[in-house]
Amino acid sequence: MKSIINFKLMKLSRIELKLLLLLGLVATFTNAQELTLKQAYDVMLSKNGEAKASSFEVKAMEEEQKATKGLRLPKVGVSGTYLHLDEDIAVDLNNQRNMIGGLLSIPNPAAVLGDWNLTLQEKNLGFATADVSMPIFAGGKINAANKASEIKLDLSEIHHQIKEDELTINLITYFFKLKLAKEAVQLRQVVYDVILLHNTQATKFFENGLIPEVETLNAKVALSNANRELLAAKKDVSLATTAVQNLIGLTAIEGFSNKFNEPTIVKPLKEFQNDMLTENQQLKTIEKNHELAEVGVKVENSDYFPKVGVFGKYVLWKDNLPLVDTKWFVGVGVEWELFNGFQREHKIKASKYKIAQVEEIDKQARLNLTTYTEKLYNTMEKELEQYESLNADEIFAEKLKFMRTRAFEEGTGTSLEVVDATLKLSEIQLHKIKALYEYTIAYGELMVLTGKTTTFLNQN
């Protein structure tokens, strides 16, 4: 029984196996409580409509390449024709008969020699043939067509990878925006709870005559603001969750497991730039377009050479064709266009200009990507510096909040000072998670664009 199962599994294609694994992945994670970034990425590739549409483009180009290979193979077919002419094809030789009769001294040639009005072909006729033809030499055009189809298949795969990279960058952005929103909710909740407690204390102090009413008003205004910001933060979580769910194509996920890693600069800028120039998919697209343009020149050059092919026919059926007695025939055909009004020369020049065009696009793209890599790297450095600076500020802000709260409880401080210290601390903490978010987004995009998507996903 095991051998039968193993045999059936061996017959499955790699695509079918991948599809089964992804379907199992979707089924498993749909029932899970939380989804990690790596799991969300896997589900997205199997469920997102844009990713699936892009994969179908690759499959279509695979079939196109197989079709192009057929140019080297013979073509076999059958054809049939049935004709009706306006009249029979005939030859009237009666005059020649009369001349012969005179020479032979025949008094009545028509009676002796008969009617010499001969029908060569009746007006109704038909035939059917089996046809075979095969190109032998096409000036290199068939080879060029096959090479072009291979390049187009490579291009479709690169375009598919570019689409996956775009979706992955969006996923990273949405996923960590959700994390940012969740962190903001927790922070706003803490602020709200602190101010609520402070408002309760201020109210009791006022009722006991320890502080004036104006101190309670400060607490009440701060509590109202904290509640409003908490509700807004919860709305942000809801919107961010919807964005992630729509992108990965699932709506039954109860939660997402994500975290901000401590920021660090993993390697120098020059190494990132080298990775960008060797692994970026946009540059690979330009490289393939350059190869395609070179093939275009070969296609145009092929028009200078003759086209040679063999063909054959076999007569399957005929009706009223007395003059055609052969059953089959074969032959070789040659076609060579010697002059076509200088079209070939101009087409070759146009193809060479396309090569030059792609080369210029490649130069500019490399400059743009190098600059963009530096931009993302500088963003990482800036947010790292911000994060480290905010860490120190947070310590001071926590100490200030503690001191303001104790002073208020001892009657030597004001409610406004407590609220102000609480809000300063929350502002610093919010800036910290925003710095983590901006760093992670820049780092994630840089890793995806340099072909290190798997490495980044495994780190989060």
Side-chain angles (χ1 to χ4, degrees):
M1 183 66 180
K2 288 184 178 179
S3 61
I4 295 175
I5 294 174
N6 290 334
F7 176 72
K8 290 183 177 179
L9 286 175
M10 289 174 64
K11 292 183 71 177
L12 291 173
S13 68
R14 293 175 62 186
I15 295 177
E16 289 172 331
L17 286 173
K18 186 177 180 181
L19 180 59
L20 288 174
L21 291 173
L22 288 173
L23 289 175
L25 184 72
V26 173
T28 300
F29 295 140
T30 300
N31 297 321
Q33 293 296 316
E34 290 188 335
L35 201 63
T36 66
L37 177 61
K38 177 63 168 63
Q39 293 166 346
Y41 169 80
D42 293 332
V43 174
M44 178 189 70
L45 296 186
S46 66
K47 298 285 287 183
N48 182 273
E50 292 185 48
K52 291 168 69 175
S54 179
S55 67
F56 287 136
E57 179 186 355
V58 176
K59 293 181 182 297
M61 287 309 305
E62 288 175 350
E63 298 303 322
E64 290 286 346
Q65 185 194 24
K66 293 176 183 177
T68 306
K69 290 180 179 179
L71 294 174
R72 302 183 187 276
L73 302 177
K75 293 180 175 58
V76 181
V78 294
S79 61
T81 304
Y82 198 87
L83 299 175
H84 174 75
L85 308 178
D86 60 341
E87 60 182 17
D88 295 340
I89 300 175
V91 177
D92 189 355
L93 299 178
N94 285 318
N95 289 334
Q96 287 76 8
R97 177 203 62 191
N98 294 334
M99 291 175 60
I100 293 173
L103 293 173
L104 298 175
S105 301
I106 298 174
N108 189 359
V112 176
L113 300 178
D115 187 7
W116 283 22
N117 189 354
L118 306 176
T119 299
L120 301 178
Q121 176 62 62
E122 295 182 6
K123 60 183 179 181
N124 294 315
L125 67 145
F127 59 91
T129 61
D131 310 314
V132 179
S133 63
M134 181 177 178
I136 296 178
F137 178 71
K141 186 168 288 188
I142 294 178
N143 292 337
N146 276 274
K147 181 62 177 178
S149 68
E150 292 176 7
I151 296 172
K152 289 178 181 178
L153 176 58
D154 292 340
L155 276 172
S156 69
E157 292 173 344
I158 294 172
H159 290 158
H160 177 60
Q161 185 60 55
I162 290 174
K163 175 53 66 177
E164 287 190 353
D165 288 348
E166 290 176 357
L167 293 172
T168 303
I169 292 172
N170 288 339
L171 177 63
I172 293 170
T173 302
Y174 295 164
F175 208 80
F176 286 100
K177 186 173 289 185
L178 174 59
K179 175 62 176 175
L180 174 63
K182 285 183 176 181
E183 293 278 357
V185 166
Q186 294 178 4
L187 181 59
R188 299 299 185 190
Q189 185 67 56
V190 171
V191 171
Y192 176 81
D193 292 341
V194 170
I195 294 180
L196 177 62
L197 178 61
H198 174 67
N199 178 68
T200 302
Q201 291 176 335
T203 301
K204 289 181 179 179
F205 288 168
F206 169 69
E207 291 174 349
N208 292 325
L210 299 177
I211 60 174
E213 184 179 9
V214 66
E215 296 294 335
T216 65
L217 295 178
N218 287 329
K220 292 183 184 299
V221 171
L223 181 63
S224 177
N225 289 336
N227 183 59
R228 184 175 61 254
E229 291 176 349
L230 176 60
L231 293 175
K234 289 181 177 178
K235 283 289 185 184
D236 290 340
V237 170
S238 178
L239 290 173
T241 301
T242 301
V244 175
Q245 289 177 335
N246 289 344
L247 182 63
I248 67 176
L250 292 179
T251 58
I253 302 300
E254 294 185 9
F256 297 92
S257 174
N258 49 1
K259 62 180 181 178
F260 286 122
N261 293 327
E262 287 292 317
T264 181
I265 303 300
V266 294
K267 58 185 179 182
L269 170 62
K270 190 64 178 177
E271 292 187 27
F272 275 114
Q273 289 176 329
N274 290 337
D275 290 342
M276 184 70 77
L277 296 180
T278 55
E279 301 297 333
N280 183 262
Q281 297 298 322
Q282 294 288 354
L283 292 180
K284 291 182 180 179
T285 299
I286 296 173
E287 178 184 347
K288 289 299 177 181
N289 281 324
H290 188 273
E291 292 179 15
L292 197 59
E294 290 178 333
V295 172
V297 174
K298 294 180 180 178
V299 170
E300 300 303 334
N301 278 323
S302 69
D303 285 339
Y304 281 109
F305 299 94
K307 279 67 176 176
V308 183
V310 295
F311 62 91
K313 286 182 179 290
Y314 183 83
V315 180
L316 300 173
W317 165 82
K318 63 180 180 177
D319 181 43
N320 287 334
L321 282 175
L323 299 180
V324 178
D325 194 36
T326 183
K327 281 289 186 181
W328 59 270
F329 63 89
V330 295
V332 177
V334 178
E335 180 183 352
W336 194 356
E337 189 175 60
L338 300 177
F339 179 73
N340 65 353
F342 301 107
Q343 294 182 39
R344 289 174 293 205
E345 289 78 2
H346 293 298
K347 287 181 178 179
I348 290 172
K349 288 182 179 179
S351 298
K352 290 181 178 179
Y353 281 130
K354 288 181 181 179
I355 293 177
Q357 178 189 22
V358 174
E359 289 174 349
E360 293 301 320
I361 291 174
D362 179 70
K363 291 178 184 177
Q364 189 60 46
R366 289 178 178 275
L367 290 174
N368 293 343
L369 286 172
T370 301
T371 303
Y372 192 63
T373 303
E374 184 175 357
K375 173 183 176 296
L376 293 175
Y377 190 86
N378 288 342
T379 299
M380 291 166 56
E381 286 188 322
K382 182 185 74 173
E383 299 304 331
L384 173 59
E385 293 168 358
Q386 290 284 321
Y387 180 77
E388 292 174 344
S389 175
L390 289 166
N391 272 336
D393 293 344
E394 185 180 19
I395 296 173
F396 297 138
E398 287 177 342
K399 186 175 182 179
L400 176 62
K401 176 190 170 186
F402 173 78
M403 295 173 64
R404 293 298 189 192
T405 302
R406 290 295 301 272
F408 175 77
E409 292 173 347
E410 294 172 358
T412 58
T414 65
S415 172
L416 186 60
E417 290 173 337
V418 174
V419 171
D420 183 60
T422 301
L423 294 178
K424 281 184 178 178
L425 175 59
S426 68
E427 182 180 359
I428 290 171
Q429 292 171 334
L430 187 60
H431 282 310
K432 269 188 65 177
I433 61 175
K434 284 183 177 179
L436 285 174
Y437 167 76
E438 295 294 344
Y439 168 87
T440 304
I441 296 306
Y443 179 51
E445 183 174 358
L446 191 55
M447 293 292 281
V448 171
L449 294 179
T450 55
K452 304 294 190 300
T453 300
T454 302
T455 302
F456 178 80
L457 295 176
N458 290 333
Q459 293 172 350
N460 293 274

